[in-house]
Amino acid sequence: MIDQSDIEARKAALAQLLGEKLRVGGRTFEQKLKRAGRLLPRWARRDATRLIDAGRLAANPKLARQIDVHALNAAQTRLTRYLQSVDLTERRKTARINFAAGIVFKLLLIVAVFVLVARWQGLV
């Protein structure tokens, strides 16, 4: 059986990883998870929710027996492994490249529309 202090320690470790790797703020794991939002994949949010639910169940001794320890360990392992693999500099670089690519695409679209209008008007 797992107790509430063990789950809280797990959540605190994951909250620290969320803060370091995804740069999300908040005091608790729940707040950081909410602020991380779509920065995390769906399966990671589901695993984090499993940890939060286990913390609520562990608060009641009778309900604590319902916690699936193996699923909880697997969820924590997957989430920890994912957060440790996040490279902050790579995320920044990818965001900058995507931003620049969006601007270039929009400029090309504007030039194409300009050429089409000029051709339609008989200027080119």
Side-chain angles (χ1 to χ4, degrees), residues 61-72:
K62 286 189 178 184
L63 295 178
R65 289 183 252 158
Q66 295 179 2
I67 298 173
D68 185 7
V69 178
H70 298 294
L72 191 64

Side-chain angles (χ1 to χ4, degrees), residues 85-119:
S85 71
V86 170
D87 186 14
L88 195 58
T89 57
E90 187 67 31
R91 287 180 79 100
R92 287 184 190 139
K93 186 169 42 171
T94 303
R96 288 179 183 148
I97 289 171
N98 287 340
F99 180 72
I103 290 174
V104 168
F105 176 74
K106 291 171 187 170
L107 286 174
L108 286 174
L109 193 63
I110 290 171
V111 168
V113 168
F114 179 74
V115 168
L116 286 174
V117 169
R119 184 170 282 188

Side-chain angles (χ1 to χ4, degrees), residues 12 16 35 40:
Q16 182 180 3
R35 290 184 180 162
L40 289 172

Side-chain angles (χ1 to χ4, degrees), residues 18 22 29 33 36-52 75 78-79 82-83 91:
L18 276 172
L22 298 181
F29 178 66
L33 181 65
R38 294 185 66 185
L39 293 175
L40 289 172
R42 183 183 303 162
W43 62 265
R45 290 192 306 264
R46 188 172 38 240
D47 285 348
T49 303
R50 184 171 288 147
L51 280 165
I52 293 170
R78 280 191 306 262
L79 195 55
Y82 172 75
L83 288 173
R91 287 180 79 100

